[in-house]
Each structure stands twice: as structure tokens, then as C-alpha cells.
Amino acid sequence: MEVAPSDVDLRNSRRFYERAQHSIPGGVNSPARAFDSVGGTPLFIEQAKGAYLEDADANEYLDYVGSWGPMIFGHAHPDVVEAVKDQAEASTSFGAPTEIEIDVADLVCDLVPSVEKVRMVNSGTEATMSAARLARGYTDRDKIIKFEGNYHGHGDFFLISAGSGAMTLGKPDSPGVTDGNAKDTLLAQYNDLDHVQRLVDANQGEVACIIVEPIAGNMGCIPPEPGFLEGLRKLCDAHDIVLVFDEVMTGFRVAPGGAQERFGVIPDLTCLGKIIGGGLPVGAYGGKEEIMDYVAPTGPVYQAGTLSGNPLAMRAGHAILSKIAAEKDRIYDQLENYAEALQEGTEHNLDALGVDYTTHQVGAMGSLFFTDTEVVDQDTAQTADTEAYAAYFHAMLEEGIYLPPSQFEAMFYGTCHGEEELETTLQTQRRALKRVHS
Ligand code: HOZ
């Protein structure tokens, strides 16, 4: 399964990558963006507009990464650009409250069903770490249940059987996580309610929270099976466990109110990131007022940050969330139609070549796994042929389509993906699959 070397000029990306090795570990500031599992040189990006990226060698690519989720309206959306420019003139940070923070909080509370109060932080990692601390403080219990292959950022107690870059690099359990931290993290199989029930039964009165990606996006995109989220809700209610949805990727993406709105299951706490900051570094955690009031300064659980609710980030997030609130009836139909057409066309291309596959699309995210096994959890995701994915990835890249550089990451689309992009993608895919599978 070989793809011939490309004649695409990547001289600057190669030069920068080599230069970066001297001052940045592995030459990248986050492992997920290195091309470790697909091979080759990570693209160094110069600029982007709408659905298109331009790299440091002036090559153009149709983008299906979208900065790993935030770009629901495409890159450099004029509303975001204007808001950020405007705020920069008025200073980039105060470390003091601003009105725009309330506007964003109000929008989040209006859009996300579970959120009565919300606290802004700077990343999804901070959101999940803070939510877990809050759940522990609120319940006065230590243990958490997480799912194998789910990724909740790089907090110590989440880096156990973790997805995303950790799974891609084959390092799901990170050195540096103490035994003390690891012993309080209980692992369950995704989509396996009986497994969760057994863990809860074996740890009666000790589990503070169950944290879950309501649609997994960090072992590729895997939807919850019917009844799975509902079952978690029931279990949490029966045992006074805090149910935490990590909607960093799914929030405002699979419905205006995220996966919880789409599936009608309301968690106690929700973690957000990505879209909420319009491409600037923002995370948030929110939920029931009674629980959120347990956070300082109202309550005893401490959590803070100089750049939390940063005005630049809030202005960008506000531009995106207010557009979502105003146009949600149109936006989500459009995203859904694109996703369905892409899935249908992809399946048609794969069937024509007799290639084994499983595809998943949920709202504006999806994955193509090179396996004929039904993909429902980490074990089944790992049946995918990662070499075939790497060859497909490069064949697409060489023709100008930028996919996630790992079988175990999801693709993201936005309203910037239209008829033309669909046509280009499917035609390119047909050629790429032929090259890879002939
Ligand atoms: N959390 C992102 C999607 N898996 C990856 C971002 C990163 O780790 O750089």
C-alpha cells in the first residue's frame, strides 16, 4: 500500500520543521499535529480563509481539521476578525471583569440545556480538570470513571487509556502520572453500560463523577449507542454521581446545544472549548447552579486564572455564539446535509473499489475507519488499518485535501463547506482511494 512520493513543494515546511526541532520538543507544540502516525512533514500554515488553508510554501488545501473543531464558520470569519481587532485597540487583557463575559455566559446558558451557570477558563483541559475537581469537592468522593479512548485533555488523572494524540502515538498512559492519581481513575469500555454498572457497584459511595465524550471524537468519531447516555444518566441519579459531558468538540457542533440537545440527555456538568472561543484559547465548564455555586468565590472549590474570560477571546466567542443563536435553524440543517452527502459519496467510492470500511457522521463531525468491524469503542477502533489510513491521508494531501493526520482523530466541517467543496472532495477521494487500493 504505497503512494508515490509527491512533487508538491514543501521546502519551507521541511525547513521550519527541522529548525523547530532545536527549540520545541518534537518540533510541535502539540503532538496531535505532528505527522507521527502518517509519516512525513507536518505542514506549517501561513494563513487560512473559509474552508481553505495555505501552507508556508503557498500550497492550498481544503481543510477538514478546522483547528480541531472551532472553525464552524470557517477561518478568519469577518465577524471574528472585526471583533478581535476592535478589542485589541481597547487592550488585550485586564484581569478584571468585563461586560462581554456576561454576554457570553448568557449565550452559553441559553444555548446549552444543562448550563445554568458557567465559568470561563483557557482550554478544554482546564475545563475538564476543573469540572472533575468540582465534582469531587461537591460529592466529597475521590474516584472518577472515564472511558477507554476518550480524551479529556492532559490533566494527570485523565491520561490513562487516553485517546487523541496519546492513542495515536501508542502512549495512552503517560509516565509522570502518579500511582496515587491513577488509582482514582476507573476505566470503562465506551458504549458498555454493564461495565460501568460493575465499576459503580464495586466502588459504592466512592465515585464522584462519570465523565464521557457523549460522541467520542478522540478515537475517531464514534456515536453513542441508543440507550448508552440515557443509562449513564440513570446510573448517576441512582448513586448520586455527577454526570459530566465533555462537549469540548461536540458543543455547538452537533446541535446548537451540543450532544445533550441532540440526544436529549442532560448532564450535571458540561465542559466546553473550541467553538466557544471562535478559534481563540477558551474553555468553560458549567452546569447546575447548585453545583456551580460550589466554586470559589461563592463556594470552597478553588479555581482561578489571570486570562480566564480574556476579553479578546470573549469577543471572538461572542461573535460566533451570537451568530449561532441567530441563525441556528439554517446552520444545523446545512451542516447535516453536507455531512450526509459526504458520507453517502464516500461510501459509494469505497463500495466501488470493494474496500473494507466503517464510516460515522454525527452532525458536523465524522470518521472513515479502514475496517469492516463495527466501531463502537477503543478495541474496535483499533481494528482499523492505520497504514491504509496513512496512505489515504497522503494521497488526499497531495491533491490538496487536509484530513486529520491520524486514524484516531475526527474530521470537522463547517458552513464554509458547500457544493464545490463536496464535489472536489469526492472526486479527489475517488482518485486517492484508487491509488491506495490498486
Ligand atoms: N483535542 C484535539 C482533538 N483530539 C487535538 C488537539 C491537540 O491535542 O492538539
Side-chain angles (χ1 to χ4, degrees):
M1 201 157 301
E2 289 279 308
V3 172
S6 142
D7 56 2
V8 178
D9 181 4
L10 294 176
R11 265 174 297 185
N12 285 330
S13 278
R14 290 201 182 103
R15 195 162 56 82
F16 293 157
Y17 191 42
E18 207 179 295
R19 190 178 142 214
Q21 303 296 330
H22 299 291
S23 49
I24 302 174
V28 291
N29 276 313
S30 186
R33 69 186 69 158
F35 279 16
D36 275 35
S37 73
V38 290
T41 307
L43 300 183
F44 279 65
I45 305 301
E46 191 72 28
Q47 58 181 329
K49 180 86 191 147
Y52 295 90
L53 297 173
E54 188 185 301
D55 73 8
D57 295 279
N59 302 305
E60 195 179 81
Y61 304 89
L62 173 53
D63 183 18
Y64 278 99
V65 176
S67 186
W68 300 102
M71 299 303 168
I72 191 96
F73 299 126
H75 292 274
H77 190 278
D79 293 0
V80 174
V81 174
E82 196 190 318
V84 169
K85 274 188 181 161
D86 196 43
Q87 182 58 47
E89 301 271 358
S91 184
T92 53
S93 179
F94 309 114
T98 53
E99 186 179 9
I100 190 77
E101 292 166 75
I102 318 168
D103 295 337
V104 175
D106 285 348
L107 275 166
V108 174
C109 293
D110 285 349
L111 287 167
V112 185
S114 66
V115 178
E116 293 169 2
K117 279 192 176 172
V118 60
R119 170 62 64 84
M120 293 294 156
V121 290
N122 294 291
S123 67
T125 290
E126 266 190 65
T128 54
M129 289 196 306
S130 308
R133 184 187 306 134
L134 175 57
R136 285 169 158 161
Y138 178 74
T139 57
D140 196 21
R141 298 172 180 175
D142 290 343
K143 295 190 176 168
I144 63 171
I145 293 178
K146 84 169 273 288
F147 293 89
E148 293 183 10
N150 276 194
Y151 177 74
H152 306 291
H154 58 86
D156 281 355
F157 44 88
F158 293 131
L159 277 184
I160 299 160
S161 219
S164 188
M167 181 165 165
T168 299
L169 298 178
K171 296 180 175 123
D173 305 320
S174 175
V177 174
T178 64
D179 290 347
N181 260 316
K183 85 170 167 32
D184 286 329
T185 301
L186 310 173
L187 291 173
Q189 280 283 354
Y190 197 70
N191 273 326
D192 185 346
L193 264 183
D194 290 343
H195 194 180
V196 186
Q197 178 77 62
R198 288 198 298 278
L199 288 174
V200 170
D201 290 345
N203 295 274
Q204 284 286 347
E206 292 185 272
V207 179
C209 69
I210 296 176
I211 184 164
V212 64
E213 288 181 66
I215 298 162
N218 286 292
M219 44 184 171
C221 175
I222 305 179
E225 294 200 318
F228 176 58
L229 298 176
E230 292 82 350
L232 293 181
R233 179 67 275 173
K234 274 197 196 128
L235 205 52
C236 286
D237 287 342
H239 295 270
D240 294 323
I241 295 169
V242 176
L243 180 60
V244 184
F245 276 10
D246 179 345
E247 296 232 42
V248 168
M249 288 206 267
T250 52
F252 316 106
R253 173 161 290 281
V254 298
Q260 56 197 266
E261 177 182 338
R262 191 174 177 110
F263 295 111
V265 178
I266 310 303
D268 302 302
L269 291 177
T270 298
C271 300
L272 297 162
K274 315 264 189 197
I275 288 175
I276 200 177
L280 273 82
V282 186
Y285 63 106
K288 284 191 177 144
E289 183 168 7
E290 184 194 319
I291 304 180
M292 290 307 293
D293 279 344
Y294 228 70
V295 178
T298 340
V301 172
Y302 198 72
Q303 179 272 309
T306 297
L307 292 170
S308 297
N310 169 266
L312 264 190
M314 290 297 98
R315 288 292 298 269
H318 186 263
I320 294 295
L321 295 185
S322 50
K323 191 168 164 60
I324 286 176
E327 298 173 38
K328 56 181 193 270
D329 293 342
R330 175 186 67 78
I331 294 168
Y332 292 90
D333 279 352
Q334 186 185 333
L335 292 172
E336 207 74 34
N337 290 341
Y338 190 86
E340 269 170 31
L342 182 63
Q343 182 170 31
E344 255 176 49
T346 297
E347 292 183 352
H348 177 80
N349 283 342
L350 289 155
D351 287 339
L353 288 167
V355 178
D356 289 339
Y357 67 87
T358 295
T359 55
H360 291 310
Q361 301 288 154
V362 196
M365 58 193 283
S367 276
L368 160 59
F369 295 92
F370 287 101
T371 176
D372 61 354
T373 303
E374 196 190 348
V375 177
V376 295
D377 57 16
Q378 186 185 42
D379 288 349
T380 47
Q382 278 173 330
T383 65
D385 180 345
T386 51
E387 278 180 25
Y389 184 85
Y392 169 65
F393 168 83
H394 280 291
M396 292 290 274
L397 192 70
E398 284 164 19
E399 289 210 44
I401 306 236
Y402 186 63
L403 298 172
S406 165
Q407 171 74 90
F408 303 123
E409 300 284 0
M411 292 188 294
F412 298 104
Y413 340 114
T415 55
C416 51
H417 292 80
E419 284 288 312
E420 194 183 321
E421 286 72 26
L422 181 67
E423 199 51 42
T424 306
T425 306
L426 293 174
Q427 278 178 15
T428 309
Q429 184 185 62
R430 220 167 289 144
R431 288 192 296 271
L433 287 169
K434 257 193 204 144
R435 275 175 76 195
V436 170
H437 289 277
S438 58

